[in-house]
Short mmCIF file of all heavy atoms in Angstrom, two decimals:
data_model
loop_
_atom_site.label_atom_id
_atom_site.label_comp_id
_atom_site.label_asym_id
_atom_site.label_seq_id
_atom_site.Cartn_x
_atom_site.Cartn_y
_atom_site.Cartn_z
N GLU A 568 20.10 241.68 91.92
CA GLU A 568 19.72 243.10 91.74
C GLU A 568 20.02 243.86 93.03
O GLU A 568 19.66 243.37 94.12
CB GLU A 568 18.22 243.21 91.52
CG GLU A 568 17.72 242.76 90.20
CD GLU A 568 17.73 243.86 89.15
OE1 GLU A 568 17.97 245.04 89.49
OE2 GLU A 568 17.51 243.52 87.98
N PRO A 569 20.59 245.04 92.93
CA PRO A 569 20.71 245.88 94.12
C PRO A 569 19.39 246.61 94.40
O PRO A 569 18.69 247.00 93.47
CB PRO A 569 21.78 246.90 93.72
CG PRO A 569 21.73 246.95 92.23
CD PRO A 569 21.18 245.64 91.74
N TYR A 570 19.09 246.75 95.66
CA TYR A 570 17.92 247.54 96.08
C TYR A 570 18.45 248.48 97.17
O TYR A 570 18.82 248.03 98.25
CB TYR A 570 16.80 246.61 96.56
CG TYR A 570 15.66 247.26 97.34
CD1 TYR A 570 15.42 248.63 97.31
CD2 TYR A 570 14.80 246.47 98.08
CE1 TYR A 570 14.38 249.20 98.02
CE2 TYR A 570 13.74 247.03 98.80
CZ TYR A 570 13.54 248.39 98.78
OH TYR A 570 12.52 248.95 99.50
N ILE A 571 18.50 249.77 96.85
CA ILE A 571 19.08 250.74 97.78
C ILE A 571 17.98 251.55 98.44
O ILE A 571 17.03 252.00 97.78
CB ILE A 571 20.09 251.63 97.03
CG1 ILE A 571 21.33 250.78 96.73
CG2 ILE A 571 20.42 252.89 97.82
CD1 ILE A 571 22.56 251.52 96.31
N CYS A 572 18.14 251.74 99.73
CA CYS A 572 17.17 252.55 100.46
C CYS A 572 17.80 253.90 100.79
O CYS A 572 18.83 253.97 101.47
CB CYS A 572 16.75 251.82 101.74
SG CYS A 572 15.46 252.69 102.63
N GLY A 573 17.21 254.97 100.30
CA GLY A 573 17.75 256.31 100.49
C GLY A 573 17.31 256.93 101.82
O GLY A 573 16.39 256.43 102.47
N ASN A 574 17.99 258.01 102.16
CA ASN A 574 17.79 258.66 103.46
C ASN A 574 16.87 259.87 103.32
O ASN A 574 17.26 260.90 102.78
CB ASN A 574 19.19 259.08 103.98
CG ASN A 574 19.14 259.82 105.30
OD1 ASN A 574 18.08 260.23 105.76
ND2 ASN A 574 20.29 260.00 105.92
N ILE A 575 15.68 259.73 103.85
CA ILE A 575 14.75 260.87 103.85
C ILE A 575 14.63 261.45 105.27
O ILE A 575 14.27 262.60 105.46
CB ILE A 575 13.37 260.44 103.29
CG1 ILE A 575 12.49 261.61 102.88
CG2 ILE A 575 12.63 259.56 104.22
CD1 ILE A 575 11.23 261.19 102.14
N GLY A 576 14.97 260.60 106.26
CA GLY A 576 14.80 261.00 107.67
C GLY A 576 15.76 262.09 108.09
O GLY A 576 15.37 263.06 108.73
N SER A 577 17.06 261.94 107.75
CA SER A 577 18.04 262.94 108.18
C SER A 577 18.88 263.45 107.01
O SER A 577 19.86 264.17 107.21
CB SER A 577 18.97 262.34 109.25
OG SER A 577 19.80 261.35 108.68
N GLY A 578 18.49 263.07 105.80
CA GLY A 578 19.24 263.52 104.63
C GLY A 578 18.46 264.56 103.83
O GLY A 578 17.25 264.69 104.00
N THR A 579 19.15 265.25 102.98
CA THR A 579 18.50 266.29 102.18
C THR A 579 18.04 265.73 100.83
O THR A 579 18.49 264.67 100.40
CB THR A 579 19.46 267.45 101.91
OG1 THR A 579 20.55 266.94 101.14
CG2 THR A 579 19.99 268.06 103.20
N VAL A 580 17.20 266.51 100.18
CA VAL A 580 16.78 266.14 98.83
C VAL A 580 18.00 266.09 97.92
O VAL A 580 18.15 265.18 97.10
CB VAL A 580 15.78 267.19 98.28
CG1 VAL A 580 15.30 266.80 96.90
CG2 VAL A 580 14.60 267.36 99.20
N GLN A 581 18.87 267.06 98.10
CA GLN A 581 20.07 267.13 97.26
C GLN A 581 20.93 265.88 97.43
O GLN A 581 21.43 265.31 96.47
CB GLN A 581 20.88 268.37 97.62
CG GLN A 581 22.12 268.53 96.76
CD GLN A 581 22.95 269.75 97.13
OE1 GLN A 581 22.61 270.48 98.07
NE2 GLN A 581 24.03 269.96 96.40
N GLU A 582 21.07 265.46 98.69
CA GLU A 582 21.91 264.29 98.97
C GLU A 582 21.35 263.04 98.28
O GLU A 582 22.10 262.26 97.67
CB GLU A 582 21.97 264.08 100.49
CG GLU A 582 22.88 262.98 100.93
CD GLU A 582 22.88 262.82 102.47
OE1 GLU A 582 22.27 263.64 103.17
OE2 GLU A 582 23.49 261.85 102.93
N MET A 583 20.05 262.88 98.36
CA MET A 583 19.44 261.70 97.72
C MET A 583 19.57 261.79 96.21
O MET A 583 19.92 260.83 95.52
CB MET A 583 17.98 261.56 98.13
CG MET A 583 17.35 260.28 97.60
SD MET A 583 15.62 260.08 98.05
CE MET A 583 15.69 259.68 99.78
N SER A 584 19.29 262.98 95.70
CA SER A 584 19.35 263.20 94.26
C SER A 584 20.77 262.92 93.73
O SER A 584 20.96 262.27 92.70
CB SER A 584 18.93 264.64 94.01
OG SER A 584 19.20 264.99 92.70
N GLU A 585 21.76 263.39 94.49
CA GLU A 585 23.15 263.21 94.03
C GLU A 585 23.60 261.75 94.13
O GLU A 585 24.45 261.31 93.37
CB GLU A 585 24.08 264.12 94.85
CG GLU A 585 23.91 265.58 94.47
CD GLU A 585 24.87 266.52 95.18
OE1 GLU A 585 25.41 266.17 96.27
OE2 GLU A 585 25.08 267.64 94.66
N TRP A 586 23.03 261.03 95.06
CA TRP A 586 23.40 259.60 95.15
C TRP A 586 22.95 258.87 93.88
O TRP A 586 23.70 258.10 93.29
CB TRP A 586 22.75 258.97 96.40
CG TRP A 586 23.40 257.69 96.85
CD1 TRP A 586 24.54 257.12 96.33
CD2 TRP A 586 22.96 256.82 97.90
NE1 TRP A 586 24.83 255.95 97.00
CE2 TRP A 586 23.87 255.75 97.97
CE3 TRP A 586 21.88 256.85 98.79
CZ2 TRP A 586 23.74 254.70 98.90
CZ3 TRP A 586 21.75 255.82 99.71
CH2 TRP A 586 22.68 254.76 99.77
N VAL A 587 21.72 259.16 93.47
CA VAL A 587 21.21 258.51 92.26
C VAL A 587 22.07 258.93 91.06
O VAL A 587 22.41 258.10 90.21
CB VAL A 587 19.71 258.86 92.05
CG1 VAL A 587 19.22 258.31 90.71
CG2 VAL A 587 18.87 258.30 93.20
N GLU A 588 22.44 260.19 91.04
CA GLU A 588 23.29 260.68 89.94
C GLU A 588 24.65 259.98 89.98
O GLU A 588 25.16 259.53 88.94
CB GLU A 588 23.47 262.20 90.09
CG GLU A 588 24.33 262.84 89.01
CD GLU A 588 24.62 264.31 89.32
OE1 GLU A 588 23.74 264.99 89.89
OE2 GLU A 588 25.74 264.77 89.01
N TYR A 589 25.22 259.87 91.15
CA TYR A 589 26.54 259.23 91.32
C TYR A 589 26.49 257.78 90.80
O TYR A 589 27.39 257.33 90.11
CB TYR A 589 26.91 259.23 92.81
CG TYR A 589 28.28 258.67 93.15
CD1 TYR A 589 29.40 259.51 93.19
CD2 TYR A 589 28.46 257.33 93.43
CE1 TYR A 589 30.66 259.01 93.51
CE2 TYR A 589 29.71 256.81 93.77
CZ TYR A 589 30.80 257.67 93.81
OH TYR A 589 32.05 257.16 94.13
N MET A 590 25.39 257.10 91.13
CA MET A 590 25.33 255.69 90.78
C MET A 590 24.97 255.44 89.32
O MET A 590 25.48 254.49 88.71
CB MET A 590 24.30 254.98 91.68
CG MET A 590 24.68 254.95 93.14
SD MET A 590 23.55 254.01 94.17
CE MET A 590 22.17 255.14 94.38
N THR A 591 24.12 256.29 88.76
CA THR A 591 23.52 255.89 87.47
C THR A 591 23.75 256.82 86.29
O THR A 591 23.32 256.50 85.18
CB THR A 591 21.98 255.71 87.64
OG1 THR A 591 21.42 256.98 88.00
CG2 THR A 591 21.64 254.68 88.71
N PHE A 592 24.41 257.97 86.50
CA PHE A 592 24.56 258.90 85.39
C PHE A 592 25.80 258.57 84.55
O PHE A 592 26.89 258.38 85.09
CB PHE A 592 24.62 260.34 85.90
CG PHE A 592 24.60 261.36 84.79
CD1 PHE A 592 23.55 261.37 83.88
CD2 PHE A 592 25.63 262.28 84.64
CE1 PHE A 592 23.52 262.30 82.84
CE2 PHE A 592 25.60 263.22 83.61
CZ PHE A 592 24.55 263.22 82.71
N ASP A 593 25.59 258.55 83.23
CA ASP A 593 26.66 258.15 82.33
C ASP A 593 27.42 259.33 81.73
O ASP A 593 28.50 259.16 81.16
CB ASP A 593 26.04 257.32 81.19
CG ASP A 593 27.09 256.50 80.46
OD1 ASP A 593 28.21 256.42 80.97
OD2 ASP A 593 26.78 255.97 79.39
N GLY A 594 26.86 260.53 81.81
CA GLY A 594 27.46 261.67 81.13
C GLY A 594 28.47 262.41 81.98
O GLY A 594 29.08 261.84 82.90
N GLU A 595 28.61 263.69 81.64
CA GLU A 595 29.55 264.52 82.39
C GLU A 595 28.77 265.26 83.47
O GLU A 595 27.85 266.03 83.18
CB GLU A 595 30.21 265.51 81.43
CG GLU A 595 31.34 266.27 82.08
CD GLU A 595 31.86 267.39 81.18
OE1 GLU A 595 31.88 267.21 79.96
OE2 GLU A 595 32.21 268.44 81.75
N SER A 596 29.12 265.03 84.70
CA SER A 596 28.46 265.73 85.81
C SER A 596 29.36 265.60 87.02
O SER A 596 30.22 264.71 87.08
CB SER A 596 27.09 265.13 86.11
OG SER A 596 27.21 263.98 86.93
N PRO A 597 29.16 266.46 88.01
CA PRO A 597 30.04 266.38 89.19
C PRO A 597 30.02 265.00 89.84
O PRO A 597 31.05 264.44 90.20
CB PRO A 597 29.45 267.43 90.13
CG PRO A 597 28.66 268.35 89.28
CD PRO A 597 28.22 267.56 88.09
N MET A 598 28.83 264.42 89.97
CA MET A 598 28.73 263.12 90.66
C MET A 598 29.30 261.99 89.81
O MET A 598 30.00 261.11 90.31
CB MET A 598 27.27 262.82 91.04
CG MET A 598 26.69 263.75 92.06
SD MET A 598 27.63 263.77 93.61
CE MET A 598 28.12 265.47 93.67
N ALA A 599 28.98 262.02 88.51
CA ALA A 599 29.50 260.95 87.64
C ALA A 599 31.02 261.03 87.59
O ALA A 599 31.72 260.00 87.58
CB ALA A 599 28.89 261.07 86.25
N GLY A 600 31.54 262.26 87.59
CA GLY A 600 32.99 262.44 87.57
C GLY A 600 33.63 261.91 88.85
O GLY A 600 34.68 261.27 88.84
N TRP A 601 32.97 262.15 89.94
CA TRP A 601 33.48 261.69 91.25
C TRP A 601 33.51 260.15 91.28
O TRP A 601 34.44 259.54 91.78
CB TRP A 601 32.55 262.26 92.34
CG TRP A 601 33.12 262.25 93.71
CD1 TRP A 601 34.41 261.95 94.08
CD2 TRP A 601 32.41 262.56 94.92
NE1 TRP A 601 34.54 262.05 95.45
CE2 TRP A 601 33.33 262.43 95.97
CE3 TRP A 601 31.10 262.95 95.19
CZ2 TRP A 601 32.96 262.66 97.31
CZ3 TRP A 601 30.74 263.18 96.51
CH2 TRP A 601 31.67 263.03 97.55
N ARG A 602 32.44 259.57 90.74
CA ARG A 602 32.38 258.09 90.70
C ARG A 602 33.56 257.55 89.89
O ARG A 602 34.21 256.59 90.28
CB ARG A 602 31.06 257.65 90.05
CG ARG A 602 30.87 256.14 90.02
CD ARG A 602 29.73 255.75 89.10
NE ARG A 602 30.03 256.01 87.71
CZ ARG A 602 29.26 256.73 86.90
NH1 ARG A 602 28.14 257.26 87.31
NH2 ARG A 602 29.64 256.93 85.64
#
Side-chain angles (χ1 to χ4, degrees):
E568 287 271 351
Y570 166 17
I571 288 194
C572 185
N574 178 348
I575 197 171
S577 69
T579 62
V580 182
Q581 181 181 2
E582 184 181 353
M583 186 181 287
S584 169
E585 288 183 339
W586 199 6
V587 174
E588 180 187 325
Y589 183 90
M590 294 185 282
T591 62
F592 187 57
D593 198 11
E595 189 188 325
S596 82
M598 293 302 119
W601 198 9
R602 183 193 68 234

